[in-house]
Amino acid sequence: MSCPRPRARRFGGVYMPKNYMIWKKQAKKAILAIVGDDLIGDAKNIYPIDKPIELHCKFVFKRPNCYRRQKDPFLEFPHTKRKDLDNLVKSLCDVLQDSNLIRDDCLIHKIVASKLYSNKKDTDPYIEFEIKYKQN
């Protein structure tokens, strides 16, 4: 889910939409379930990452039915509709910081991102990401 604009209350105060906050909580839980195995033993000292980071990410969306014809490409292809790539990256950075994988998203100095429709076999949307940093 892309990061929406904060909403303002009528009598002051700012909040994020409820569906975005629910998505963030689910994404954090999924990341911790995957990375949880790495948090055992010596690897506990790695997180949160406090070094300059390169973030490589790929956002894959469900292919619309109009692109499921036989003449359409089988492989992934660019997604050029709504959901801006910068907002998708912003939401991923928020989740990485909330899940305590990175100390702060200001440590990210390079981002390589793509937004694609899935290949014909895949039906569920997903996010792939890779965090690169130098260990000293």
Side-chain angles (χ1 to χ4, degrees):
M1 170 175 232
S2 62
C3 186
R5 288 189 190 141
R7 308 287 193 249
R9 290 192 169 91
R10 191 169 169 183
F11 299 106
V14 180
Y15 68 96
M16 295 301 275
K18 185 177 181 180
N19 60 347
Y20 175 67
M21 298 307 291
I22 291 170
W23 177 85
K24 264 179 67 170
K25 189 180 285 187
Q26 291 172 344
K28 178 182 174 181
K29 192 181 292 186
I31 287 174
L32 290 176
I34 293 168
V35 178
D37 298 337
D38 294 339
L39 295 177
I40 299 170
D42 296 334
K44 269 189 177 176
N45 301 332
I46 295 173
Y47 302 111
I49 299 169
D50 198 12
K51 297 177 170 88
I53 298 168
E54 281 185 31
L55 178 64
H56 296 253
C57 48
K58 180 167 88 169
F59 300 90
V60 181
F61 293 89
K62 183 179 177 182
R63 181 184 287 239
N65 288 334
C66 64
Y67 291 118
R68 292 190 177 274
R69 300 172 300 191
Q70 192 166 7
K71 67 179 184 175
D72 291 326
F74 178 79
L75 300 175
E76 297 170 341
F77 64 98
H79 182 296
T80 56
K81 303 293 183 202
R82 278 291 173 142
K83 297 197 192 272
D84 296 343
L85 187 58
D86 59 330
N87 291 331
L88 293 167
V89 171
K90 190 185 327 176
S91 63
L92 177 61
C93 291
D94 287 347
V95 170
L96 291 175
Q97 187 172 337
D98 289 349
S99 60
N100 212 26
L101 282 181
I102 60 176
R103 183 183 55 79
D104 195 351
D105 55 4
C106 70
L107 294 168
I108 300 172
H109 69 91
K110 180 179 179 181
I111 297 174
V112 178
S114 60
K115 180 176 75 162
L116 305 166
Y117 283 120
S118 65
N119 62 36
K120 285 188 179 178
K121 289 190 308 184
D122 293 335
T123 56
D124 294 329
Y126 60 92
I127 301 171
E128 287 181 11
F129 68 91
E130 181 180 6
I131 298 172
K132 295 182 177 183
Y133 65 97
K134 291 187 178 180
Q135 289 180 323
N136 290 336

